[in-house]
Amino acid sequence: MHKFTIFTILLSIIVIFVVAELVVNDYLGDDFADSTQLEETVVETPDEIEVPEEEVIEEPVDEPLDPELRGDEEEVGEIEVPEEDVVEEVVEEVVAEITGNLTQELLATLDFTEPVLTTTLYDGLVYGFWDVSEDFTDMTVLQHKLFDGADYIGTVYEVQPGSSIELFTAYETLRKTAESSGNGTINENNAYGDASFYFNHETKSNTVFLTVRTNDLVYSLEYSPNYHVTIRSLIELL
């Protein structure tokens, strides 16, 4: 009993001493205040949080740049467009390489005051309305225009076959074209050269259309009846 009393007294003293130490150092107050402050801490958030709009990146479109705005363009010289006289010179050079039987010198022997001859390659049409471009693909066809000064005389189409077979083929092609044409009738009289025929156009009655095969060439002539005598002399020279 005496020991228990002593133990109780000692325990009471220790408790009193610990409590006194806590009070002196204000441990309970500081801890309590810290915990209370933590619980009462409020995180303020703004009513609206502005979220930046997502930027739209436009992909560049390849467009031609204005040459005046570019700084890296190369200087390009102006493209010169050939004038008509230049084109005519080129055509004359091409035709000059192709020898035609009808020449300026030959025309000068006829009864003309001021004979003028212009020669070009035909455009696929004979007389301007017979399309024989596919039939004459492998043949050379020249178109001669005859003038006496400023007066137009007529046009002569000179077909140059490459062989005797092509010679007969060219003539037959023109003859059959005349026979099947719905614009007129054929008059095959064989009055000139080795063979010949007239084509009587139903509306162009003031124009003579004559095709002649002679000296391994074929000619289709278009002229005014006023020059019939002169053209007949020309055919004899061809």
Side-chain angles (χ1 to χ4, degrees):
M1 186 69 179
H2 181 70
K3 290 181 181 181
F4 178 76
T5 303
I6 294 173
F7 175 77
T8 301
I9 294 172
L10 289 175
L11 181 60
S12 299
I13 294 172
I14 292 172
V15 172
I16 293 170
F17 182 82
V18 171
V19 172
E21 185 69 22
L22 292 174
V23 173
V24 171
N25 291 287
D26 198 18
Y27 286 151
L28 293 175
D30 291 341
D31 293 341
F32 181 78
D34 291 341
S35 62
T36 304
Q37 186 176 359
L38 290 173
E39 291 177 358
E40 293 179 354
T41 300
V42 178
V43 179
E44 297 182 357
T45 58
D47 295 337
E48 295 182 358
I49 299 176
E50 296 183 359
V51 179
E53 296 182 359
E54 186 175 356
E55 296 183 0
V56 178
I57 302 176
E58 297 182 358
E59 296 183 0
V61 179
D62 295 334
E63 295 182 355
L65 299 178
D66 189 341
E68 296 182 358
L69 300 179
R70 294 179 52 188
D72 59 345
E73 69 274 15
E74 297 181 0
E75 294 184 359
V76 180
E78 295 182 356
I79 300 175
E80 297 182 359
V81 180
E83 299 178 356
E84 292 182 359
D85 55 347
V86 178
V87 175
E88 290 178 358
E89 290 179 2
V90 173
V91 172
E92 290 178 358
E93 290 179 0
V94 172
V95 175
E97 297 176 359
I98 304 172
T99 304
N101 196 38
L102 178 55
T103 62
Q104 180 69 38
E105 291 75 18
L106 182 63
L107 192 63
T109 63
L110 300 177
D111 187 19
F112 292 126
T113 304
E114 188 181 350
V116 177
L117 176 68
T118 62
T119 301
T120 59
L121 293 173
Y122 91 129
D123 59 1
L125 300 177
V126 170
Y127 299 147
F129 51 82
W130 285 353
D131 187 355
V132 292
S133 56
E134 293 184 1
D135 300 283
F136 291 174
T137 300
D138 299 327
M139 305 181 194
T140 298
V141 182
L142 301 180
Q143 179 177 304
H144 306 284
K145 288 188 177 182
L146 288 62
F147 298 87
D148 188 2
D151 297 331
Y152 172 71
I153 300 171
T155 300
V156 178
Y157 297 87
E158 180 179 333
V159 184
Q160 299 179 349
S163 63
S164 57
I165 296 177
E166 289 186 353
L167 173 65
F168 286 97
T169 299
Y171 182 80
E172 282 300 306
T173 297
L174 293 171
R175 190 180 66 82
K176 290 180 179 179
T177 301
E179 285 182 340
S180 60
S181 175
N183 297 325
T185 58
I186 185 175
N187 178 15
E188 191 172 6
N189 61 359
N190 295 317
Y192 303 98
D194 300 322
S196 65
F197 66 86
Y198 285 101
F199 177 73
N200 301 318
H201 200 284
E202 61 182 7
T203 59
K204 298 180 179 181
S205 57
N206 293 327
T207 303
V208 177
F209 300 99
L210 173 63
T211 296
V212 179
R213 175 171 58 83
T214 181
N215 294 328
D216 297 332
L217 294 173
V218 177
Y219 300 93
S220 288
L221 303 94
E222 171 188 350
Y223 58 93
S224 169
N226 298 331
Y227 295 99
H228 182 71
V229 175
T230 304
I231 294 299
R232 184 173 60 185
S233 299
L234 174 61
I235 294 173
E236 292 176 355
L237 294 174
L238 293 174

